[in-house]
Amino acid sequence: MTKKADAPSREAGSAGESAAESSDALHLARWTINSGSNVQSRGAVVIASGDHQWEAKAEGNGPVDALYRAVDAALHDVLTGHPRLMAYDVHAVAEGPESDGVVTVALAPPAGAAGARSSGRYHGEARSSNIIAASVEAYIAAINRLLAEEHWAGATEDAGNRRRARGAAGRGRAELDESAEDTNITDWFNR
């Protein structure tokens, strides 16, 4: 659903004007995941906004959980805590394994948020043939919707570290590096 910029909206999606399209919005610059049947999933993210960049890595119960935990860790100072995931939905838009999937998430502000920052439910949606990518992009879209509220104004600036992000920052969408399939990503986590 498209909302006017001056109307208080708490829905973010992949179509129409949204908080995710703002130049001050968070953008997923890079992400990586290491997951398998016999190991705990390990994810890492680089998130950018303007001249700021946040990085973190985390472990989780599966690739989506690991990446969500990495996003939470990276943005801990921005949000003064971790957002609460209220809903997560994935569905295919057509038949077959090459079909795009739509991921929809809903989150609430961190449990420790005070005043006006403590309430609300924020939605994000993303579509991709890569469900993991769509999952993390939908999560970032919901966080952008939260940060677009007037009472969160300046949160990214206050917690920024003035490091310019590399890669896909500024384009609003992370890119999958096809050449990295032969790379040992475990070394990346051990830096």
Side-chain angles (χ1 to χ4, degrees), residues 26-33 43-47 63-72 74-75 88 90 103-105 107 124-128 130-144 172-175:
L26 300 172
H27 301 284
L28 186 62
R30 289 191 319 270
W31 65 270
T32 188
I33 190 73
V45 296
V46 176
I47 301 169
V64 173
D65 183 46
L67 286 170
Y68 281 12
R69 288 175 186 260
V71 169
D72 289 349
L75 299 178
Y88 173 80
V90 179
V103 176
T104 307
V105 299
L107 58 82
E125 182 176 285
R127 177 180 177 157
S128 175
N130 183 330
I131 296 303
I132 305 304
S135 295
V136 73
E137 288 172 6
Y139 196 63
I140 295 290
I143 291 171
N144 274 325
R173 200 175 156 102
E175 294 180 359

Side-chain angles (χ1 to χ4, degrees), residues 3 7-12 116 119-124 142 145 149 151:
K3 300 278 187 174
S9 168
R10 293 183 178 182
E11 293 183 28
S119 65
R121 189 170 174 129
Y122 303 88
H123 300 269
R145 183 54 60 200
E149 294 282 10
H151 45 268

